[in-house]
Coordinates of all heavy atoms in Angstrom, one line a residue:
M25 N -0.3 -4.9 -5.7 CA 0.7 -5.0 -4.7 C 0.4 -6.1 -3.7 O -0.7 -6.1 -3.2 CB 0.8 -3.6 -4.0 CG 1.9 -3.6 -2.9 SD 2.1 -1.9 -2.4 CE 2.0 -2.1 -0.7
F26 N 1.3 -6.9 -3.5 CA 1.1 -8.1 -2.6 C 1.8 -7.8 -1.3 O 2.9 -7.4 -1.3 CB 1.7 -9.4 -3.3 CG 0.9 -9.8 -4.5 CD1 1.4 -9.5 -5.7 CD2 -0.3 -10.4 -4.4 CE1 0.7 -9.9 -6.9 CE2 -1.0 -10.8 -5.5 CZ -0.5 -10.6 -6.7
I27 N 1.1 -8.0 -0.3 CA 1.6 -7.9 1.1 C 1.8 -9.3 1.7 O 0.8 -10.0 1.9 CB 0.7 -7.0 2.0 CG1 0.6 -5.6 1.3 CG2 1.3 -6.9 3.4 CD1 -0.4 -4.8 2.1
G28 N 3.0 -9.6 2.0 CA 3.2 -10.9 2.6 C 3.2 -10.8 4.1 O 3.5 -9.8 4.7
Y29 N 2.8 -11.9 4.7 CA 2.8 -12.0 6.2 C 4.1 -11.6 6.8 O 4.1 -10.8 7.8 CB 2.3 -13.3 6.7 CG 2.1 -13.4 8.1 CD1 1.1 -12.7 8.8 CD2 3.0 -14.2 8.9 CE1 1.0 -12.8 10.2 CE2 2.9 -14.2 10.3 CZ 1.9 -13.6 10.9 OH 1.8 -13.6 12.2
P30 N 5.2 -12.2 6.4 CA 6.5 -11.8 7.0 C 6.8 -10.3 6.9 O 7.4 -9.7 7.8 CB 7.6 -12.6 6.2 CG 6.8 -13.8 5.7 CD 5.4 -13.2 5.4
D31 N 6.5 -9.7 5.7 CA 6.7 -8.2 5.6 C 5.9 -7.5 6.6 O 6.4 -6.5 7.2 CB 6.3 -7.8 4.2 CG 7.2 -8.5 3.1 OD1 8.3 -8.8 3.4 OD2 6.7 -8.6 2.0
L32 N 4.6 -7.8 6.7 CA 3.7 -7.1 7.7 C 4.3 -7.3 9.1 O 4.3 -6.3 9.9 CB 2.3 -7.7 7.6 CG 1.3 -7.0 8.4 CD1 1.0 -5.6 8.0 CD2 0.0 -7.8 8.4
V33 N 4.7 -8.5 9.5 CA 5.2 -8.7 10.8 C 6.5 -8.0 11.1 O 6.6 -7.3 12.1 CB 5.3 -10.2 11.1 CG1 6.1 -10.5 12.4 CG2 4.0 -10.9 11.1
Q34 N 7.3 -8.0 10.1 CA 8.6 -7.3 10.3 C 8.5 -5.8 10.5 O 9.1 -5.2 11.3 CB 9.5 -7.6 9.1 CG 10.9 -7.0 9.2 CD 11.8 -7.3 8.0 OE1 11.3 -7.8 7.0 NE2 13.0 -7.0 8.1
I35 N 7.6 -5.2 9.6 CA 7.5 -3.8 9.7 C 6.6 -3.3 10.8 O 7.0 -2.5 11.6 CB 6.9 -3.2 8.3 CG1 8.0 -3.5 7.2 CG2 6.6 -1.8 8.4 CD1 7.5 -3.2 5.8
F36 N 5.4 -3.9 10.9 CA 4.4 -3.4 11.9 C 4.7 -3.9 13.3 O 5.0 -3.2 14.2 CB 3.0 -3.8 11.4 CG 2.0 -3.3 12.4 CD1 1.6 -2.0 12.6 CD2 1.3 -4.2 13.2 CE1 0.7 -1.6 13.4 CE2 0.3 -3.8 14.1 CZ 0.0 -2.5 14.2
A37 N 4.7 -5.3 13.4 CA 4.8 -5.9 14.7 C 6.2 -5.6 15.3 O 6.4 -5.4 16.5 CB 4.5 -7.4 14.6
G38 N 7.2 -5.7 14.5 CA 8.6 -5.5 15.0 C 8.8 -4.1 15.6 O 9.3 -4.0 16.7
T39 N 8.3 -3.1 14.9 CA 8.5 -1.7 15.4 C 7.6 -1.5 16.6 O 8.1 -1.0 17.6 CB 8.0 -0.7 14.3 OG1 8.8 -1.0 13.1 CG2 8.2 0.7 14.7
V40 N 6.3 -1.8 16.5 CA 5.4 -1.6 17.7 C 5.8 -2.4 18.9 O 5.8 -1.9 20.0 CB 4.0 -1.8 17.3 CG1 3.0 -1.7 18.4 CG2 3.6 -0.9 16.1
L41 N 6.2 -3.7 18.6 CA 6.6 -4.5 19.7 C 7.8 -4.0 20.5 O 7.8 -4.1 21.7 CB 6.8 -6.0 19.2 CG 7.0 -7.1 20.2 CD1 5.8 -7.1 21.1 CD2 7.2 -8.4 19.5
N42 N 8.8 -3.5 19.8 CA 9.9 -3.0 20.4 C 9.6 -1.7 21.3 O 10.3 -1.5 22.3 CB 11.0 -2.6 19.4 CG 11.7 -3.8 18.8 OD1 11.7 -4.9 19.5 ND2 12.2 -3.7 17.6
Q43 N 8.6 -1.0 20.9 CA 8.3 0.2 21.6 C 7.3 0.0 22.8 O 7.4 0.7 23.8 CB 7.6 1.3 20.6 CG 8.6 1.8 19.6 CD 7.9 2.7 18.6 OE1 6.8 3.0 18.7 NE2 8.7 3.2 17.7
T44 N 6.4 -1.0 22.6 CA 5.4 -1.2 23.7 C 5.7 -2.4 24.6 O 5.4 -2.3 25.8 CB 4.0 -1.3 23.1 OG1 4.0 -2.5 22.3 CG2 3.6 -0.1 22.3
G45 N 6.1 -3.5 24.0 CA 6.4 -4.7 24.8 C 5.1 -5.5 25.0 O 5.1 -6.5 25.7
A46 N 4.0 -5.1 24.4 CA 2.7 -5.9 24.5 C 2.6 -6.9 23.4 O 2.0 -6.6 22.4 CB 1.6 -4.9 24.6
A47 N 3.2 -8.0 23.6 CA 3.4 -9.0 22.5 C 2.0 -9.6 22.0 O 1.8 -9.6 20.8 CB 4.3 -10.1 22.9
V48 N 1.2 -10.0 22.9 CA -0.1 -10.6 22.6 C -1.0 -9.7 21.8 O -1.6 -10.0 20.8 CB -0.8 -11.2 23.8 CG1 -2.1 -11.8 23.5 CG2 0.1 -12.3 24.5
Q49 N -1.1 -8.5 22.3 CA -2.0 -7.5 21.7 C -1.5 -7.1 20.3 O -2.3 -6.9 19.4 CB -2.1 -6.2 22.6 CG -2.9 -6.5 23.9 CD -2.0 -7.0 25.0 OE1 -0.8 -7.2 24.8 NE2 -2.5 -7.1 26.2
V50 N -0.2 -6.9 20.2 CA 0.4 -6.5 18.9 C 0.2 -7.6 17.9 O -0.1 -7.3 16.8 CB 1.9 -6.1 19.1 CG1 2.6 -5.9 17.8 CG2 2.0 -4.8 20.0
M51 N 0.4 -8.8 18.3 CA 0.3 -9.9 17.3 C -1.2 -10.1 17.0 O -1.5 -10.4 15.8 CB 0.9 -11.2 17.9 CG 2.4 -11.1 18.0 SD 3.2 -10.6 16.5 CE 2.8 -11.9 15.4
A52 N -2.1 -9.9 17.9 CA -3.5 -10.0 17.6 C -3.9 -8.9 16.6 O -4.7 -9.2 15.6 CB -4.4 -9.9 18.9
I53 N -3.5 -7.7 16.8 CA -3.8 -6.6 15.8 C -3.2 -6.9 14.5 O -3.8 -6.7 13.4 CB -3.3 -5.3 16.4 CG1 -4.1 -4.9 17.6 CG2 -3.4 -4.2 15.3 CD1 -3.6 -3.7 18.4
T54 N -1.9 -7.4 14.5 CA -1.2 -7.8 13.2 C -2.0 -8.8 12.5 O -2.2 -8.7 11.2 CB 0.2 -8.2 13.5 OG1 0.9 -7.2 14.2 CG2 1.0 -8.5 12.2
L55 N -2.4 -9.9 13.2 CA -3.1 -11.0 12.5 C -4.5 -10.5 12.0 O -4.9 -10.9 10.9 CB -3.3 -12.1 13.5 CG -2.1 -12.9 13.9 CD1 -2.4 -13.9 15.0 CD2 -1.5 -13.6 12.7
S56 N -5.1 -9.6 12.7 CA -6.4 -9.0 12.3 C -6.3 -8.2 11.0 O -7.1 -8.3 10.1 CB -7.0 -8.2 13.4 OG -7.3 -9.0 14.6
V57 N -5.2 -7.4 11.0 CA -5.0 -6.6 9.8 C -4.7 -7.4 8.6 O -5.3 -7.2 7.5 CB -3.8 -5.6 10.1 CG1 -3.4 -4.9 8.8 CG2 -4.2 -4.5 11.1
Y58 N -3.9 -8.5 8.8 CA -3.6 -9.4 7.7 C -4.8 -10.1 7.2 O -5.1 -10.3 6.0 CB -2.5 -10.4 8.1 CG -2.0 -11.2 6.9 CD1 -1.2 -10.7 5.9 CD2 -2.4 -12.5 6.8 CE1 -0.8 -11.5 4.9 CE2 -2.0 -13.3 5.8 CZ -1.2 -12.8 4.8 OH -0.8 -13.6 3.7
L59 N -5.7 -10.6 8.1 CA -6.9 -11.2 7.8 C -7.8 -10.3 7.0 O -8.4 -10.7 6.0 CB -7.6 -11.8 9.0 CG -8.9 -12.5 8.8 CD1 -8.7 -13.7 8.0 CD2 -9.5 -12.8 10.2
A60 N -7.9 -9.1 7.5 CA -8.8 -8.1 6.8 C -8.3 -7.9 5.3 O -9.1 -7.9 4.4 CB -8.9 -6.8 7.5
I61 N -7.0 -7.7 5.2 CA -6.5 -7.5 3.8 C -6.7 -8.7 3.0 O -7.1 -8.5 1.8 CB -4.9 -7.2 3.9 CG1 -4.7 -5.8 4.6 CG2 -4.3 -7.2 2.6 CD1 -3.3 -5.5 4.9
S62 N -6.5 -9.9 3.5 CA -6.7 -11.1 2.7 C -8.2 -11.3 2.3 O -8.5 -11.7 1.2 CB -6.3 -12.3 3.5 OG -4.9 -12.2 3.8
L63 N -9.1 -11.0 3.2 CA -10.5 -11.2 2.9 C -11.0 -10.2 1.9 O -11.8 -10.5 1.0 CB -11.4 -11.1 4.2 CG -11.2 -12.3 5.1 CD1 -12.0 -12.0 6.4 CD2 -11.7 -13.5 4.5
V64 N -10.5 -8.9 2.0 CA -10.9 -7.9 1.0 C -10.4 -8.3 -0.4 O -11.1 -8.2 -1.4 CB -10.4 -6.5 1.4 CG1 -10.6 -5.5 0.3 CG2 -11.2 -6.1 2.7
M65 N -9.1 -8.7 -0.4 CA -8.6 -9.1 -1.7 C -9.3 -10.3 -2.3 O -9.5 -10.4 -3.5 CB -7.1 -9.4 -1.6 CG -6.2 -8.2 -1.3 SD -6.2 -7.0 -2.6 CE -5.3 -8.0 -3.8
S66 N -9.7 -11.3 -1.5 CA -10.4 -12.5 -1.9 C -11.8 -12.1 -2.5 O -12.2 -12.6 -3.5 CB -10.5 -13.4 -0.8 OG -11.3 -14.6 -1.2
M67 N -12.5 -11.2 -1.7 CA -13.8 -10.8 -2.2 C -13.7 -10.0 -3.5 O -14.5 -10.2 -4.4 CB -14.5 -10.0 -1.2 CG -15.0 -10.8 0.0 SD -16.0 -9.8 1.2 CE -14.8 -8.6 1.8
T68 N -12.7 -9.2 -3.7 CA -12.5 -8.4 -4.9 C -12.2 -9.4 -6.1 O -12.8 -9.2 -7.1 CB -11.3 -7.4 -4.7 OG1 -11.6 -6.6 -3.6 CG2 -11.1 -6.6 -5.9
M69 N -11.3 -10.3 -5.9 CA -11.0 -11.3 -7.0 C -12.2 -12.2 -7.3 O -12.4 -12.5 -8.5 CB -9.8 -12.1 -6.6 CG -8.5 -11.3 -6.5 SD -8.2 -10.3 -8.0 CE -8.1 -11.6 -9.3
N70 N -13.0 -12.6 -6.3 CA -14.2 -13.3 -6.6 C -15.2 -12.6 -7.4 O -15.8 -13.1 -8.4 CB -14.8 -13.8 -5.3 CG -14.1 -15.0 -4.7 OD1 -13.4 -15.8 -5.4 ND2 -14.2 -15.2 -3.4
A71 N -15.4 -11.3 -7.1 CA -16.3 -10.4 -7.9 C -15.8 -10.2 -9.3 O -16.6 -10.3 -10.3 CB -16.5 -9.1 -7.2
F72 N -14.5 -10.0 -9.4 CA -13.9 -9.9 -10.7 C -14.1 -11.2 -11.6 O -14.4 -11.1 -12.7 CB -12.4 -9.6 -10.6 CG -11.7 -9.5 -11.9 CD1 -11.7 -8.3 -12.6 CD2 -10.9 -10.5 -12.4 CE1 -11.0 -8.2 -13.8 CE2 -10.2 -10.4 -13.6 CZ -10.3 -9.2 -14.3
N73 N -13.8 -12.3 -11.0 CA -14.0 -13.6 -11.7 C -15.4 -13.9 -12.1 O -15.7 -14.4 -13.2 CB -13.5 -14.8 -10.8 CG -12.0 -14.8 -10.7 OD1 -11.3 -14.3 -11.7 ND2 -11.4 -15.4 -9.7
Q74 N -16.4 -13.5 -11.2 CA -17.8 -13.7 -11.6 C -18.2 -12.8 -12.7 O -19.0 -13.2 -13.6 CB -18.7 -13.5 -10.4 CG -18.6 -14.6 -9.4 CD -19.5 -14.3 -8.2 OE1 -20.1 -13.2 -8.0 NE2 -19.6 -15.2 -7.3
R75 N -17.7 -11.6 -12.7 CA -18.0 -10.7 -13.8 C -17.5 -11.1 -15.2 O -18.1 -10.9 -16.2 CB -17.5 -9.3 -13.4 CG -17.8 -8.2 -14.4 CD -17.6 -6.8 -13.9 NE -17.7 -5.8 -14.9 CZ -18.8 -5.3 -15.4 NH1 -20.0 -5.7 -14.9 NH2 -18.8 -4.3 -16.3
F76 N -16.3 -11.6 -15.2 CA -15.6 -11.9 -16.5 C -15.5 -13.4 -16.8 O -14.8 -13.8 -17.6 CB -14.2 -11.3 -16.5 CG -14.2 -9.8 -16.5 CD1 -13.9 -9.1 -15.4 CD2 -14.5 -9.1 -17.7 CE1 -13.9 -7.7 -15.4 CE2 -14.6 -7.8 -17.7 CZ -14.3 -7.0 -16.6
A77 N -16.4 -14.2 -16.1 CA -16.4 -15.6 -16.3 C -16.9 -15.9 -17.7 O -17.8 -15.3 -18.2 CB -17.2 -16.4 -15.3
I78 N -16.4 -17.0 -18.3 CA -16.9 -17.4 -19.6 C -18.2 -18.2 -19.4 O -18.2 -19.2 -18.7 CB -15.8 -18.3 -20.3 CG1 -14.5 -17.5 -20.6 CG2 -16.4 -18.9 -21.6 CD1 -13.4 -18.3 -21.1
V79 N -19.2 -17.8 -20.1 CA -20.5 -18.4 -20.0 C -20.6 -19.5 -21.0 O -20.4 -19.3 -22.2 CB -21.6 -17.3 -20.2 CG1 -23.0 -18.0 -20.0 CG2 -21.5 -16.2 -19.2
E80 N -21.0 -20.7 -20.5 CA -21.1 -21.8 -21.4 C -22.6 -21.9 -21.9 O -23.5 -21.4 -21.3 CB -20.8 -23.2 -20.7 CG -19.4 -23.3 -20.3 CD -19.1 -24.6 -19.7 OE1 -19.7 -25.6 -20.1 OE2 -18.2 -24.7 -18.9
R81 N -22.7 -22.4 -23.2 CA -24.0 -22.4 -23.8 C -24.7 -23.7 -23.5 O -24.3 -24.7 -23.4 CB -23.9 -22.2 -25.3 CG -23.5 -20.8 -25.6 CD -23.4 -20.6 -27.0 NE -22.8 -19.4 -27.3 CZ -22.9 -18.7 -28.4 NH1 -23.7 -19.2 -29.3 NH2 -22.3 -17.6 -28.6

């Protein structure tokens, strides 16, 4: 499942921002969550690629 930045902002930041009004804090949390998701996915795919890489002779 792929999570796009616009989807995350629309669902999470849009809802919370309308309820709290704390724009800077909500956007900082949103960016942190997106960064964490991206880094975990990147590390997972790097580990997968290293495990199944074709070894040259």
Side-chain angles (χ1 to χ4, degrees):
M25 180 168 131
F26 293 99
I27 300 174
Y29 181 73
D31 298 330
L32 184 67
V33 171
Q34 181 181 9
I35 293 170
F36 179 72
T39 304
V40 175
L41 188 58
N42 286 336
Q43 293 177 357
T44 63
V48 174
Q49 292 86 355
V50 170
M51 291 310 294
I53 292 169
T54 304
L55 292 173
S56 299
V57 168
Y58 186 74
L59 179 63
I61 292 169
S62 297
L63 289 175
V64 168
M65 291 296 290
S66 178
M67 288 187 297
T68 303
M69 291 308 298
N70 282 335
F72 178 81
N73 285 335
Q74 286 179 355
R75 180 168 171 81
F76 292 104
I78 297 174
V79 179
E80 294 184 29
R81 294 180 188 203

